[in-house]
Amino acid sequence: MIFGMAMSVERQRTAVMLDFFIAMRVIVFRIITVLLWLLPLASISLIAASILGVDDIIDVFISLGLFSAAVVAGLAVHTFITVPLIYLIFTRKNPLKPVLLGSLRPGLFVTIIRSSIASTVEVLNACDRIGMNPKIYDFVVPLSINFKKDGSALFITCSCVWLAQTEGADLTSGNIVSIGILATALAMCLPGIPSSSLVAIATIAASVGIPLNNIGILFAMEWLLDALRGGTNGVSYVVNTGVVDAWFGDELKDETTENLRKNESTNAAYGQVSEHSDDDVAFKITEGNDTKL
């Protein structure tokens, strides 16, 4: 930012540097486009290399199925039990009422279909349908999307434990706690793109000493689990915003109503003053005409 402000002082002399950055942006976008087109082939190659290095492929796929079932069960428990229970404790309101579920359902389905943890528009629409204060959800929803990813943290933790089990690595209780803490911290830094959790999995596994030979096998089920944890994150965003709205929504509504009343009284007073001023002007003009006559 400081560099850009310095460039704006001498725009004619620094125009070359601006053209350089524009050209770099075009080049980087072209490289990313090519990499995205090559991503399916790279994913297949990574999965194939991991499968060829496995001695007993049947046991690995059975364990992968159990891993997927464990992640789905964990996401379901967090979505339908833990998050509503937190909402009930902090707001003393029923989180399963038809209005709340009816408002969450469209945004949840769109979030799952998009397979993305960044669904700002859908979450904002869900908050608006529920009837939350716009001042609250305009502030809380972007903040939650950047720093609150419950489903991603759960998936990262289960993935690291699964990698350790397939490699035969022994994990102590301290290692598991460390994995959970690191997963929670790194989940807040994940970008809002699909399959971004694999980078955090590789980082945490390497820090704990877990081999990464079978990480390519996670791609076989990662697309489905990515969509499901995106839906879990979407529900968490809305419920988190609902808690804040239950605490401060009434105060903001009272403040907004008071400001509207002040504005209405000010406009009414200004209108009365204008009417009196117009009457005085008309009286003076009429008096002046009578004098001339």
Side-chain angles (χ1 to χ4, degrees), residues 23-193:
M24 285 295 297
R25 183 186 64 180
V26 174
I27 294 171
V28 171
F29 281 178
R30 293 296 182 183
I31 294 174
I32 293 176
T33 302
V34 174
L35 292 177
L36 290 177
W37 280 103
L38 295 176
L39 183 60
L41 180 61
S43 301
I44 294 173
S45 301
L46 183 60
I47 295 173
S50 300
I51 292 176
L52 291 175
V54 174
D55 296 331
D56 193 349
I57 189 64
I58 297 178
D59 290 341
V60 171
F61 275 102
I62 291 175
S63 64
L64 183 62
L66 295 175
F67 158 75
S68 302
V71 173
V72 172
L75 294 176
V77 169
H78 184 72
T79 303
F80 299 107
I81 297 179
T82 306
V83 173
L85 186 61
I86 293 174
Y87 182 85
L88 176 63
I89 292 173
F90 285 97
T91 64
R92 302 297 181 182
K93 297 180 181 179
N94 183 14
L96 300 178
K97 58 183 180 180
V99 176
L100 185 60
L101 291 177
S103 301
L104 276 176
R105 220 175 286 136
L108 176 61
F109 287 158
V110 172
T111 306
I112 291 176
I113 293 172
R114 288 182 59 186
S115 299
S116 175
I117 60 177
S119 302
T120 308
V121 177
E122 289 78 13
V123 176
L124 290 175
N125 290 335
C127 295
D128 184 66
R129 284 191 294 269
I130 293 173
M132 298 182 187
N133 195 309
K135 292 182 179 180
I136 290 179
Y137 64 70
D138 285 341
F139 173 75
V140 178
V141 169
L143 193 66
S144 300
I145 289 176
N146 288 323
F147 297 104
K148 196 174 188 299
K149 301 179 179 67
D150 305 341
S152 300
L154 189 147
F155 172 74
I156 293 170
T157 304
C158 294
S159 299
C160 293
V161 175
W162 179 81
L163 287 175
Q165 291 177 349
T166 56
E167 294 292 343
D170 295 331
L171 292 177
T172 62
S173 58
N175 295 133
I176 296 176
V177 172
S178 300
I179 291 173
I181 295 174
L182 291 174
T184 304
L186 288 180
M188 295 188 295
C189 306
L190 293 177
I193 58 177

